[in-house]
Amino acid sequence: MNSNKIQKPLPANGKLGVLIPGMGAVATTFIAGVEAVKKNIALPIGSMTQMSTIRLGKRTENRQPLVKDFVPLANLQDMVFGGWDIFEDNMYEAAKTAEVLESKHLEPIRKELEAIRPMSAVFDKAYIKNLDGPNVKKGADKMELANQLMEDIRNFIKLNGCDRAVMVWCASTEKYVEPSSVHETLDAFEEGMRNNDPRISPSMIYAYAALNLSIPFANGAPNLTCDIPALIELAYRTGTPIAGKDFKTGQTLMKTIVAPGLHARAIGVSGWFSTNILGNRDGKVLDDPENFKTKEVSKLSVLEEIFDPQNNPELYGEMYHKVRINYYPPRGDNKESWDNIDIFGWMGYPMQIKINFLCRDSILAAPIVLDLALFMDLAKRAHMKGIQEWLSFYFKSPQVKTGLRHEHDIFKQLIKLQNTLRYIMGEDLITHLGLDYY
Ligand SMILES: NC(=O)c1ccc[n+]([C@@H]2O[C@H](COP(=O)([O-])OP(=O)(O)OC[C@H]3O[C@@H](n4cnc5c(N)ncnc54)[C@H](O)[C@@H]3O)[C@@H](O)[C@H]2O)c1
């Protein structure tokens, strides 16, 4: 099935609505950053669409435009924001609570942030035990809740005069669920929605609402959400791009930078121990073992797939990989992570690498939200539908077609992304062979 019959993208005219379930630390940092960039008082650092260049043609041609000047992306001035949260705080108040950005950055955009108030959320405490809030929808069944979300989306688009919209899930991590019969087909899923099937999570209801309206959906958390056959089916039916899961920031970003290097030079790894402390609301939610499990599964798969122990048993067959997250309130959003990597080289001699990353979680996540919103909108205008594997670059646990190996190596992910952009725009793909220069 060639479901991605790509066409030259339609121009990005008019306003792009960015709809965000979960308006906490990541969402407010993202929105505040874009508003600050719009006012020329900040730079969108970390956003490859805004800051990175892309090589076109041969090295001798010297063509290196910025990505945003190469592909027709929505202009940041044309972006408008809305979303849902279980708390009623406007974006200024929520940003204050999140304690990521300082007053000197929030005050100049206070008016814009105060104007954005979260719509009432679809929420189920069974999926997030450590949270409770007043701003929650009521409905007889899950289908009715989905209809209410669709009504919210239509109203938002109308009120803001949007030409197009995308949805990026930035809400808390839900408890771990395995795909089961209700997730298998769209019919079973819709039946489950009408019967209030407990296996359908709130994030799936948001994704269902978006996809029904042909609105691209990207999943920033490790929840299953649209990574189930029923919603993949809906995405293809409605011609809508989907991508996920779990923004690749912090420790996993470092892993997918360092591990491909060790693998490339055939350095052995006997153990990789990762631990971190995190004190924000995300950390609180992940303090519940059922929610941590969802994150753990997403984080663990990365090394296995980069090192491929089945095909490299002498180097990685015995590797022990452990990941811990510890909730530690004093640090707030400023996560600290430690990695101890036990490696071995020539003739088996052991060595160690220590990585101590003092990062800011939402500062790393915000540019990903921006790029995903812009690229998902681009994909839609290029008539791409279903799973957008070329956006794996941004995810810890990239969604791929069933049966395909994930590609976690960030450098291969980047080449895939850049070649997809070249392909969309009718430019030559770059293989890096280079023999023709000689
Ligand atoms: N910051 C990072 O580096 C990073 C990296 C990867 C993934 N993530 C994921 O991104 C998500 C957001 O992280 P954060 O730091 O902003 O967390 P946060 O706790 O500050 O914000 C999440 C918000 O979602 C809201 N929420 C929960 N369930 C909801 C629902 N059903 N509908 C609407 N709102 C709901 C919460 O009230 C909260 O305000 C988390 O799932 C996190 O695991 C973050």
Side-chain angles (χ1 to χ4, degrees):
M1 169 179 60
N2 183 3
S3 40
N4 274 329
K5 271 206 173 308
I6 299 175
Q7 296 178 10
K8 193 135 193 183
L10 300 167
N13 295 334
K15 284 196 188 162
L16 174 66
V18 183
L19 290 157
I20 310 180
M23 307 192 87
V26 171
T28 53
T29 308
F30 157 65
I31 296 172
V34 175
E35 292 300 343
V37 173
K38 282 184 186 174
K39 286 197 170 191
N40 244 329
I41 51 177
L43 279 176
I45 294 176
S47 157
M48 82 96 84
T49 60
Q50 307 302 303
M51 304 295 291
S52 299
T53 58
I54 178 167
R55 181 186 128 198
L56 303 176
K58 303 185 73 58
R59 264 183 280 164
T60 44
E61 289 177 36
N62 279 329
R63 286 198 291 149
Q64 296 268 10
L66 286 169
V67 169
K68 66 174 177 170
D69 296 334
F70 171 51
V71 281
L73 300 176
N75 192 308
L76 301 201
Q77 300 292 346
D78 292 330
M79 287 181 120
V80 285
F81 309 99
W84 300 265
D85 205 288
I86 62 170
F87 298 107
E88 285 160 340
D89 296 350
N90 65 46
M91 289 302 89
Y92 175 78
E93 293 159 341
K96 282 277 188 198
T97 307
E99 290 184 323
V100 177
L101 299 176
E102 297 170 20
S103 291
K104 68 173 182 204
H105 291 123
L106 290 176
E107 289 314 315
I109 48 170
R110 181 172 182 158
K111 190 164 65 66
E112 287 79 1
L113 296 180
E114 280 178 341
I116 306 170
R117 293 193 161 274
M119 298 178 266
S120 60
V122 171
F123 183 72
D124 181 352
K125 207 167 157 49
Y127 277 84
I128 307 180
K129 271 201 234 118
N130 286 358
L131 270 193
D132 224 339
N135 195 26
V136 175
K137 290 193 192 313
K138 291 191 175 54
D141 58 48
K142 294 186 177 181
M143 189 58 96
E144 197 186 306
L145 292 171
N147 286 331
Q148 290 181 32
L149 287 176
M150 285 190 260
E151 198 49 34
D152 287 349
I153 297 171
R154 287 193 204 95
N155 287 339
F156 175 86
I157 289 176
K158 198 162 157 213
L159 209 72
N160 290 281
C162 294
D163 185 61
R164 308 165 319 279
V166 294
M167 190 181 286
V168 185
W169 175 270
C170 293
S172 317
T173 300
E174 296 174 336
K175 76 169 180 187
Y176 185 70
V177 275
E178 300 259 357
S180 55
S181 54
V182 73
H183 308 123
E184 211 36 59
T185 64
L186 189 54
D187 284 345
F189 186 84
E190 288 181 334
E191 181 68 16
M193 296 263 279
R194 286 186 287 269
N195 294 333
N196 267 330
D197 191 307
R199 294 169 296 176
I200 296 177
S201 71
S203 68
M204 292 172 187
I205 304 176
Y206 284 94
Y208 176 84
L211 297 179
N212 245 318
L213 297 177
S214 239
I215 290 176
F217 183 94
N219 181 13
N223 331 306
L224 266 188
T225 312
C226 59
D227 201 355
I228 52 172
L231 291 180
I232 295 171
E233 187 183 331
L234 181 59
Y236 282 106
R237 260 198 217 180
T238 57
T240 316
I242 50 173
K245 12 188 219 296
D246 208 4
F247 301 134
K248 177 151 86 176
T249 58
Q251 202 166 31
T252 310
L253 174 65
M254 286 301 137
K255 264 185 194 163
T256 67
I257 292 172
V258 173
L262 298 173
H263 181 259
R265 296 296 288 260
I267 306 278
V269 180
S270 57
W272 195 312
F273 177 74
S274 304
T275 186
N276 57 64
I277 53 177
L278 178 63
N280 59 15
R281 197 184 279 154
D282 187 28
K284 188 173 175 206
V285 168
L286 295 174
D287 209 32
D288 185 298
E290 286 192 277
N291 300 67
F292 174 66
K293 168 92 175 150
T294 313
K295 199 61 147 184
E296 188 184 29
V297 168
S298 165
K299 281 176 166 260
L300 276 178
S301 62
V302 169
L303 289 187
E304 183 80 10
E305 276 157 358
I306 292 176
F307 288 129
D308 189 15
Q310 275 82 31
N311 289 314
N312 293 278
E314 289 104 337
L315 296 175
Y316 310 113
E318 303 292 312
M319 187 185 69
Y320 186 85
H321 185 199
K322 184 96 192 156
V323 179
R324 302 302 316 153
I325 298 179
N326 303 288
Y327 178 52
Y328 181 64
R331 287 293 176 91
D333 201 64
N334 297 348
K335 178 153 82 183
E336 179 162 5
S337 68
W338 293 265
D339 284 89
N340 171 70
I341 316 163
D342 284 295
I343 64 173
F344 54 94
W346 188 244
M347 298 167 72
Y349 278 81
M351 297 172 265
Q352 293 180 10
I353 301 174
K354 316 276 179 191
I355 302 174
N356 179 200
F357 190 13
L358 284 84
C359 76
R360 293 171 187 267
D361 241 14
S362 302
I363 293 294
L364 292 168
I368 300 185
V369 182
L370 173 60
D371 284 0
L372 283 173
L374 293 173
F375 279 147
M376 291 298 271
D377 172 49
L378 173 77
K380 171 83 184 159
R381 281 181 287 111
H383 297 270
M384 297 162 84
K385 55 184 169 184
I387 301 166
Q388 303 299 308
E389 195 197 324
W390 61 287
L391 296 173
S392 296
F393 182 66
Y394 294 107
F395 295 110
K396 281 195 194 81
S397 179
Q399 183 170 1
V400 296
K401 189 174 172 184
T402 312
L404 267 189
R405 263 183 84 92
H406 300 84
E407 188 51 78
H408 281 295
D409 176 332
I410 194 156
F411 306 103
K412 290 185 189 149
Q413 292 174 333
L414 178 64
I415 292 170
K416 189 191 280 287
L417 190 158
Q418 292 177 327
N419 269 336
T420 306
L421 298 180
R422 294 182 186 111
Y423 184 76
I424 291 174
M425 299 306 289
E427 285 281 340
D428 287 345
L429 306 190
I430 293 185
T431 64
H432 300 285
L433 179 65
L435 281 177
D436 47 346
Y437 291 112
Y438 294 90

